[in-house]
Amino acid sequence: LWESVMENNPSYFKGSSQPVEKVNWFDCVKFCNKLSEKEGLEKAYTINGREVECNFEANGYRLPTEWEWEFAAIANEDFEYSGSDNPDEVAWTKENSNKQTHGVGQKKPNGFGLYDMSGNVFEWCWDWFEGGYEDIPTEDYTGSPRPDEISSKPPRRVDRGGSWGDDAGSARVSFRYW
C-alpha cells in the first residue's frame, strides 16, 4: 500500500507483505493525506512546513491518537500483549524475529481481528510523548497538547507496539516510546 501511494519504499526489509519501516512521523502524516486524496476523501491534515494540524472531523485517513491505538490493541481483552499473554503468539521481537521484520498477519490476531499491534514495527500515534498519559479522557480525545516550548527536550511523538529489534517488554500494550 505504501509503495502504491508514495511511489517509494524506504524500508530496509523489502517485500510485498513486509511492513514499512524507516519512516518518521511526518512521512506517515503525508502518507495519510496522500491516501485520502487518492480515495477522494477529505484530508485530515493541514501541513505548513513542519507544523501539522489535524481535522478530526475529516473523513480521510489519520494516525490514531494514543488512546485510540491502545483501545484497538487491547480489543476488550485483558492480555499483556495485543491478543495474548504470550508474546511469541502475537509479536515479532528481538527474541524470535531472527533480526528482521516479518510479513504482516503471520501471528495470532487480537479480539478485534487486528494483527501485529504488538511487535514487528513500532506504530506512530498523533500524540506528543511529553504530553503524559495520565487521566486521558476516553470521549472526544484528540491527543496530548504540544509540549511547552520551554522544555529542554525537543518535542517527540509517541510510537507504540514494539518492534522486531526490541525485547518483548517493548511489545506490551502498556509500553510507550517516542
Side-chain angles (χ1 to χ4, degrees):
L1 180 61
W2 184 279
E3 284 184 40
S4 70
V5 172
M6 302 302 282
E7 300 175 357
N8 67 41
N9 185 347
S11 298
Y12 180 78
F13 302 106
K14 295 185 186 330
S16 62
S17 68
Q18 297 297 106
V20 173
E21 27 84 17
K22 299 245 179 240
V23 292
N24 64 36
W25 180 89
F26 197 72
D27 294 331
C28 293
V29 166
K30 290 191 288 188
F31 168 80
C32 289
N33 268 0
K34 202 164 181 180
L35 179 58
S36 298
E37 191 171 54
K38 186 173 185 170
E39 294 188 6
L41 303 172
E42 181 184 2
K43 295 187 282 188
Y45 299 112
T46 301
I47 303 170
N48 184 9
R50 299 298 285 179
E51 294 297 315
V52 179
E53 290 188 28
C54 183
N55 174 3
F56 284 88
E57 302 301 316
N59 66 354
Y61 295 96
R62 64 175 176 79
L63 297 175
T65 65
E66 189 171 12
W67 184 88
E68 289 167 333
W69 183 93
E70 191 164 316
F71 178 84
I74 290 171
N76 294 327
E77 299 175 314
D78 189 25
F79 293 122
E80 190 172 3
Y81 302 90
S82 183
S84 178
D85 283 327
N86 178 352
D88 286 330
E89 291 181 356
V90 295
W92 294 109
T93 65
K94 181 169 65 175
E95 291 84 3
N96 65 7
S97 70
N98 198 26
K99 300 181 180 178
Q100 64 184 12
T101 63
H102 290 265
V104 299
Q106 293 183 8
K107 297 281 187 174
K108 177 182 158 188
N110 72 10
F112 288 161
L114 301 173
Y115 293 87
D116 302 311
M117 295 291 293
S118 288
N120 218 7
V121 294
F122 273 105
E123 298 169 4
W124 287 110
C125 295
W126 168 252
D127 298 62
W128 294 97
F129 185 77
E130 288 77 11
Y133 197 60
E134 301 81 31
D135 303 318
I136 289 181
T138 58
E139 293 182 34
D140 301 325
Y141 176 68
T142 58
S144 57
R146 182 179 171 90
D148 189 314
E149 299 289 344
I150 299 172
S151 172
S152 61
K153 298 177 187 174
R156 302 170 291 187
R157 294 289 187 164
V158 170
D159 54 17
R160 300 286 298 264
S163 80
W164 63 271
D166 294 297
D167 63 49
S170 72
R172 291 175 295 121
V173 171
S174 61
F175 186 80
R176 301 177 75 230
Y177 200 64
W178 66 88

